[in-house]
Amino acid sequence: MTGRLRLEGVEIALQGRVLIPALDLTVAAGQAVTLMGPSGSGKSTLLAFLCGTMDPAFVARGRVHVNGLEVTALPPEQRKLGILYQDDLLFPHLSVGGNLAFGLTAAIRGRAARRERIEAALVEAGLAGFAERDPATLSGGQRARVALLRVLLSEPRALLLDEPFGRLDAALRQDFRRFVFDHAASRGLPVLLVTHDEADANAAGGPVIRL
Amino acid sequence: MLRIAPVVTLLLLILPIAAGLAGTVLPSFGYLPALGGTEFSLGPWRDLLAYPGFGSALRLSIVTGVAATMLSFAIAVLTCATFHGAPGFRRLQAAIAPILAMPHSALAIGFAFLIAPSGWLARLAASVTGADRPGDIVTVQDEGGLALIAGLLLKEVPYLLLMIFAALNQMPARQAMAIARSLGYGAALAWIKVVLPRIYPQIRLPIYAVLAFSLSVVDVALILGPGNPPPLGPLALRWFSDPLLLLYFPAAAAACLQLALLVAAIALWRTGEVVVARAGRWWIARGGRGLAVQPFLNAAGRIAWLLLALSALSLLAMGLWSVAESWRFPDLLPTGWTLATWTRQAAGLWWPVQTTMALALVSTLIAMVLALACLENEQRRGLHPGIGALWLLYTPLLVPQIAFLFGAQIVLIRLDLDGTWTALVWSHLLFVLPYVFLSLADPWRNIDPRLIRTAACLGASPLRILFAVKLPMMLRPLLAAAAVGFAVSVGLYLPTLFAGNGRFATLTTEAVTLAGGADRRIIGIHALLQALLPLLIYAIALAAPSIAFRHRRLLAVAS
């Protein structure tokens, strides 16, 4: 399932102004690479380009490979790149379990099997019995964890992190960082993190690229 | 499929209107081979001008149309200016919804029950003065058209209020007000000086729609307007319905004149906007704080509440008449109560109720599918439709109905579609679609794009995102849009009459016909049902999401 994430000459420009100059980058399985840059430097746009959700106002060039397979021309839903944003973006009309079921790969079939898989993920995250809860009733830290579980259950081939720790307060931030990087490492996922917080980069533990 | 949705939708709106207009303009110049008009001439226009009542019909149309629009605009603006930020503002927002759901003609009928010489208000006056017979003054269908203007205000003020509320959500009005007031401006003047100029561009088209409706209204004019001579709209309708078809040509001319009238009125209004904007800049620059006029403005801002109260009383009056056994002047309440009128009418009501429901449901459903397809296409392709698309969407609401319905009927006859369900549903769709689209567009365009992206990155296809994320999240706006579409369809009079070729009776066509002179108890039943049906749908649309989302805090209450 896991493998490498490779960027080949990825360049992003807005109205003729180059934000990200030709970038070559390989993230190995289980490795976490950090891209650091001030706001407006185009680092979030880069992640959007990788996912295939970039605003058409930007112009991008270059190629993206996941597991040796080029995904640059694929629609977002076929890229298998999981992404976490600063906000948890849980679907407000679904329960916690409903959100996880939305993410859970369709390869797992049967109501019972799917429910079991979701409950196991919740238990592992210290959220046992939360399946029926309304996401709006959870604390910020709990929602962040559900958001990560939702991504992981979709069995991505790489994990993209768009400043997902920024909204949490200091104590929670530590815990959630650990939680994210441990889960990614245990699955051998290549992780690409963008942030402007040095502490995030330290926690990621991998190479740091400054824009 | 999705890509052609906007094209199909616009063709569905614009083609028939264009064909209909051509079908009206040609006969107005004498060309209609089916009736022997094979040569172009100015005869129809000469006949129209030679009609003895032409001058007063024209004057009546202009005066009532322009006065109703200017007054509705002034009242709506003053109401918002004096209530913005006050506790009454939220209540006002809640109070206008039921009025918006009620058809024009139902409100007009109820209003006639109120203001007639033997109506409720006269009875109230009589209980003070001790009069025992109705007064001699003409209060309904007066020659000056005052009753007609007032009847139009009942619906148009809430409509403009709704449009202003929607525009207010698009700007930081509260902040602007806070700044202006901290600079020493009275609340009402602060609103007029800093908020109104910024929202006006967004309520311009709704105002033009009000202007178009008031200038060419037929159903309300039949109920509240003078009969001899009537305004242009009812006059054209009367001539179109002439059994000998001799008046077809001048009728077409009268219908075309309405279109010309509207174009001139909009051009004038637009010129007025420029002049007022220039004068307004000078006025704002003078820096008057308006503290002295504040009390007057506050008083004027109460007129909207008075109109809402009149609407509520109108509804009540219909209800009372429908269960009254005997209700003689000057009794304030019926002296005998009975359900006999209802049971006697029940059998005859069943057919119009069925037709009304079926027509409203089918046209709303089609409109919802088309509107959703357009919005989804726009969202997926990242399009941002401009002002031109908005004007096209407003076309059916701007062009006087009678000016294209008459021609459209001729086209329908040629296609052998007149008086069919297809024609009827299409004619309703013309008016239902713009309203459904407009009420759905803002919420749909405001869906958090990050939620859509998240869903896509989790591996959901666009179709799955639509059905599993967008549609359920949009349940409240979807139902609200459906309720609006339903209410619009229920209230349509002329389209039902023309496209149905008189073969289909809905509650509205029945009520308008009966209003001409039937027993008040029977009119009351029809008008009440006509008003209650859309109200019921509104209530369901409001309650259902709260029940469905009772365990979802973020979606359980209307935002």
Side-chain angles (χ1 to χ4, degrees), chain A residues 53 77 87 92-93 95 134 136 150, chain B residues 450 454 456 462 468 551-553:
Chain A
T53 58
E77 66 269 21
D87 293 303
H93 63 294
S95 63
D134 176 2
R150 186 174 66 173
Chain B
R450 298 173 311 163
T454 304
H551 300 307
R552 298 287 174 264
R553 197 197 280 167

Side-chain angles (χ1 to χ4, degrees), chain B residues 133-276:
Chain B
R133 61 177 60 190
D136 252 350
I137 0 159
V138 184
T139 48
V140 178
Q141 307 192 327
D142 59 303
E143 269 179 41
L146 293 179
L148 175 54
I149 294 174
L152 288 170
L153 289 185
L154 290 184
K155 258 308 257 199
E156 289 173 350
V157 168
Y159 172 69
L160 286 179
L161 283 175
L162 180 78
M163 293 296 126
I164 295 178
F165 294 152
L168 283 176
N169 287 333
Q170 313 277 325
M171 72 163 282
R174 203 170 277 275
Q175 266 168 285
M177 286 287 284
I179 291 170
R181 295 193 70 177
S182 73
L183 292 171
Y185 284 86
L189 219 65
W191 197 90
I192 294 172
K193 287 187 172 180
V194 301
V195 177
L196 180 61
R198 288 168 74 182
I199 60 162
Y200 187 80
Q202 288 178 70
I203 56 169
R204 175 179 288 132
L205 272 173
I207 292 174
Y208 293 174
V210 166
L211 190 58
F213 184 86
S214 312
L215 279 171
S216 62
V217 65
V218 172
D219 50 2
V220 181
L222 283 172
I223 298 162
L224 294 173
N228 217 4
L232 277 179
L235 183 67
L237 179 64
R238 189 188 292 171
W239 286 350
F240 277 136
S241 324
D242 177 49
L244 297 176
L245 301 175
L246 289 174
L247 296 170
Y248 236 66
F249 293 99
C256 285
L257 181 60
Q258 291 212 305
L259 183 64
L261 216 56
L262 174 74
V263 172
I266 288 184
L268 256 174
W269 192 284
R270 184 81 195 92
T271 316
E273 283 173 11
V274 176
V275 174
V276 170

Side-chain angles (χ1 to χ4, degrees), chain A residues 30-66:
Chain A
Q31 193 187 27
V33 174
T34 306
L35 277 174
M36 298 243 343
S39 51
S41 61
K43 53 191 194 310
S44 291
T45 313
L46 175 69
L47 293 194
F49 171 65
L50 301 185
C51 293
T53 58
M54 189 178 68
D55 187 321
F58 292 91
V59 181
R61 229 193 296 229
R63 284 195 288 233
V64 185
H65 300 263
V66 184

Side-chain angles (χ1 to χ4, degrees), chain B residues 57-75:
Chain B
L58 181 64
R59 196 184 57 238
L60 203 56
S61 279
I62 296 175
V63 168
T64 53
V66 172
T69 309
M70 292 182 88
L71 284 173
S72 328
F73 176 62
I75 294 170

Side-chain angles (χ1 to χ4, degrees), chain A residues 51 53 56 76-77 81-83 85 87 89-95 101-103 132-137 150-151 154, chain B residues 381-382 448 450-462 464-465 468-470 472-473 549 551-555:
Chain A
C51 293
T53 58
E77 66 269 21
L81 287 170
I83 184 164
Y85 298 99
D87 293 303
L89 297 173
L90 297 177
F91 301 123
H93 63 294
L94 300 176
S95 63
F102 186 93
E132 294 307 315
R133 291 276 294 268
D134 176 2
T137 63
R150 186 174 66 173
V151 172
S154 73
Chain B
R381 297 173 61 195
D448 188 343
R450 298 173 311 163
L451 282 174
I452 302 173
R453 268 180 246 145
T454 304
C457 291
L458 288 170
S461 66
R464 179 153 180 244
I465 295 176
V469 179
K470 293 186 198 169
M473 271 177 48
F549 289 134
H551 300 307
R552 298 287 174 264
R553 197 197 280 167
L554 288 179
L555 299 168

